[in-house]
Structure formats: structure tokens, C-alpha cells
Amino acid sequence: MGKIIALANQKGGVGKTTTAINLAASLAAYEKKVLVVDADPQANASSGLGIDVKKSERSLYDCLVNGEDCRRVIVPTALDGLEVLPSHIDLVGAEIEMLNMDGREYTLKKVLHPLKDEYDFILIDCSPSLGLITVNALTAADSVIIPMQCEYFALEGISKLLNTVKLIKSKLNRELEIEGFLVTMYDARLRVANEIYEEVNRRFQDLVFETVIQRNVKLVEASSFGQPVLLYDAESRGSANHMQLAQELIEKNKLTGHGETD
């Protein structure tokens, strides 16, 4: 059975979508079957994986609001084993339309859980908010990855996110765990980056991924071309970092082959 992992941080610009795109591609390169669920109305994860959202006839919105079978909405990418459940700007209105639904916090869980046997990893790219869609993502997930940018305000708001995770764990999803804190946009030449890195490790200890995502212009360029960095420049530092992160995640979850554990 596969694992559902939400990537969440209500602070924008921390590299959350970049991580979702490139971690998914790297996991696929390790021959894992991966689905990216784009739960952000901006649809950057979809476009970053080469999906033309303007031409998409259906999106996650249709699955959540209209009960569409998500298998009819999922689209392939340029990488074998990597597929996307795309987003659309319509998702902005989904939270309002879901308010009157029974068990509205479990809507995404009902959509995704029938797919768990079909993928090794399902990665949910959350929007930079703690609204109903993000609550749905955390309720559906087995764990959450929290990307944190190496800057002074990185820890600001983390307590709010952790309180939300704690609340969801106690009220909606007892299985929810923190997969790990991921340090992103790291530049070893900057004193502030090293100070933040040390503080994150001091505060969260074993919950921090050993892998660090370094600042790399190729990561930005790749997204603008609608490609994961693995396809754009496989030799880049950004590609190496995400391959290392994928390997760490696979080893942490003791995955050997598709759906198998040691």
C-alpha cells in the first residue's frame, strides 16, 4: 500500500511546490509509482510538470465538488511512473461549496484512499494557507513534509502549523505524523542560513531531513519550462539534492519495490 504525504506550510515562497515537483520526479526516477495531487488553486505543481491547466477539461475541483472519478482526471507526465491530479483556479470556490457537505474534512480522503494500492507515493501540494482544502489534505495524509526556507522568518508561523497538525491528529486523523522538516534555499556562504539551519536542527532534531535543498537557479529555470529539474538539467545541484531526498524518503519508509516493504 502506498503512502500519502502532504507538503504543507502556510508561509508562501518556501519551496513547497518546487519540492513536490522535484521530489516526485526523483521518486519516479527510482522506479516508484508516484501521483502528485495539486491542491493549490494557483496550479503551479501542475504547470511545473508540463500540464496545460487552461486546456484541462477536469481538475481536482471536479473530484471534490462533483464527485468525479479521479482516475478520469489524472494525467500522465513526461516521466514514466509519474502522474498528476491537476488543479484549476476553480478550486478557490471549492472551499465555499464544500462547507455544507457532510464530513467535509474527509472529502479528499474519500477521493484518494481508493488509489493507495496503485501508487508508492501520493504527494499533495497544499496551498499556502490553513483553509479547508489544506485541512482535507492533512486529514487524507499519512504524514506531512514541512519545507522551511533558510531565512530569519522561517520559524514564524511554524507553531501555528504544528498546532493545526496536532488538532487534526486529535480530531480527524489519528495516523497523521510529521515525515520531516526540510530545509530549502540553503546557501552555506550566508551566516543567517547556517544559523537558521542550526536552530531548526536544535528545535526539531530527528524530525529534520538530513538532505538540504541548496539554492540553485536551475530549479527556478526548470519550473518555468514546465519540467522537473531532473529533465531540465540532471547534472545540476538541484537535481542531486532532490535525488538524495528521494533516496532518504525511500530508505526511511523501507520501500524496496512498488508497494513492497522490507
Side-chain angles (χ1 to χ4, degrees), residues 34-78:
V34 187
L35 175 67
V36 172
V37 178
D38 192 348
D40 186 344
Q42 295 180 76
N44 290 333
S46 304
S47 56
L49 285 167
I51 309 302
D52 188 342
V53 292
K54 291 178 182 175
K55 291 183 179 177
S56 296
E57 292 182 10
R58 301 183 189 93
S59 70
L60 179 61
Y61 171 88
D62 297 284
C63 304
L64 294 175
V65 176
N66 300 327
E68 183 76 56
D69 183 351
C70 56
R71 291 180 183 85
R72 298 179 60 189
V73 183
I74 290 168
V75 290
T77 70

Side-chain angles (χ1 to χ4, degrees), residues 69-126:
D69 183 351
C70 56
R71 291 180 183 85
R72 298 179 60 189
V73 183
I74 290 168
V75 290
T77 70
L79 270 169
D80 285 344
L82 175 55
E83 298 177 329
V84 184
L85 181 50
S87 183
H88 190 274
I89 192 64
D90 286 353
L91 201 59
V92 170
E95 293 202 357
I96 298 168
E97 295 186 57
M98 289 164 64
L99 281 176
N100 294 323
M101 290 182 179
D102 291 331
R104 58 183 179 268
E105 297 90 355
Y106 297 95
T107 310
L108 185 57
K109 182 174 183 173
K110 290 173 186 171
V111 169
L112 296 182
H113 270 239
L115 300 175
K116 285 188 80 171
D117 287 333
E118 299 173 29
Y119 296 92
D120 293 303
F121 290 100
I122 297 175
L123 304 182
I124 310 173
D125 183 38
C126 299

Side-chain angles (χ1 to χ4, degrees), residues 13-215:
V14 297
K16 181 173 46 59
T17 299
T18 300
T19 301
I21 291 168
N22 292 293
L23 173 57
S26 299
L27 288 167
Y30 278 116
E31 299 184 342
K32 302 303 172 191
K33 198 157 185 341
V34 187
L35 175 67
V36 172
V37 178
D38 192 348
D40 186 344
Q42 295 180 76
N44 290 333
S46 304
S47 56
L49 285 167
I51 309 302
D52 188 342
V53 292
K54 291 178 182 175
K55 291 183 179 177
S56 296
E57 292 182 10
R58 301 183 189 93
S59 70
L60 179 61
Y61 171 88
D62 297 284
C63 304
L64 294 175
V65 176
N66 300 327
E68 183 76 56
D69 183 351
C70 56
R71 291 180 183 85
R72 298 179 60 189
V73 183
I74 290 168
V75 290
T77 70
L79 270 169
D80 285 344
L82 175 55
E83 298 177 329
V84 184
L85 181 50
S87 183
H88 190 274
I89 192 64
D90 286 353
L91 201 59
V92 170
E95 293 202 357
I96 298 168
E97 295 186 57
M98 289 164 64
L99 281 176
N100 294 323
M101 290 182 179
D102 291 331
R104 58 183 179 268
E105 297 90 355
Y106 297 95
T107 310
L108 185 57
K109 182 174 183 173
K110 290 173 186 171
V111 169
L112 296 182
H113 270 239
L115 300 175
K116 285 188 80 171
D117 287 333
E118 299 173 29
Y119 296 92
D120 293 303
F121 290 100
I122 297 175
L123 304 182
I124 310 173
D125 183 38
C126 299
S127 64
S129 75
L130 294 177
L132 183 56
I133 301 291
T134 299
V135 168
N136 261 260
L138 294 172
T139 303
D142 299 302
S143 64
V144 55
I145 290 175
I146 303 172
M148 300 178 67
Q149 188 178 352
C150 263
E151 60 163 42
Y152 272 126
F153 298 112
L155 296 167
E156 192 177 277
I158 284 296
S159 59
K160 189 176 180 183
L161 176 60
L162 293 178
N163 283 337
T164 301
V165 170
K166 187 177 178 181
L167 190 65
I168 286 171
K169 184 167 174 135
S170 66
K171 303 286 187 186
L172 299 168
N173 180 7
R174 265 184 258 173
E175 308 302 316
L176 183 64
E177 300 291 345
I178 293 174
E179 190 75 36
F181 292 86
L182 177 67
V183 174
T184 63
M185 304 182 197
Y186 177 71
D187 187 339
R189 299 168 300 179
L190 301 177
R191 189 177 72 180
V192 63
N194 290 299
E195 288 174 354
I196 294 297
Y197 179 66
E198 288 172 14
E199 176 63 18
V200 169
N201 275 282
R202 185 190 67 77
R203 191 177 294 194
F204 302 115
Q205 301 175 7
D206 292 344
L207 287 175
V208 183
F209 281 102
E210 289 181 18
T211 304
V212 172
I213 308 300
Q214 296 163 286
R215 278 198 180 276

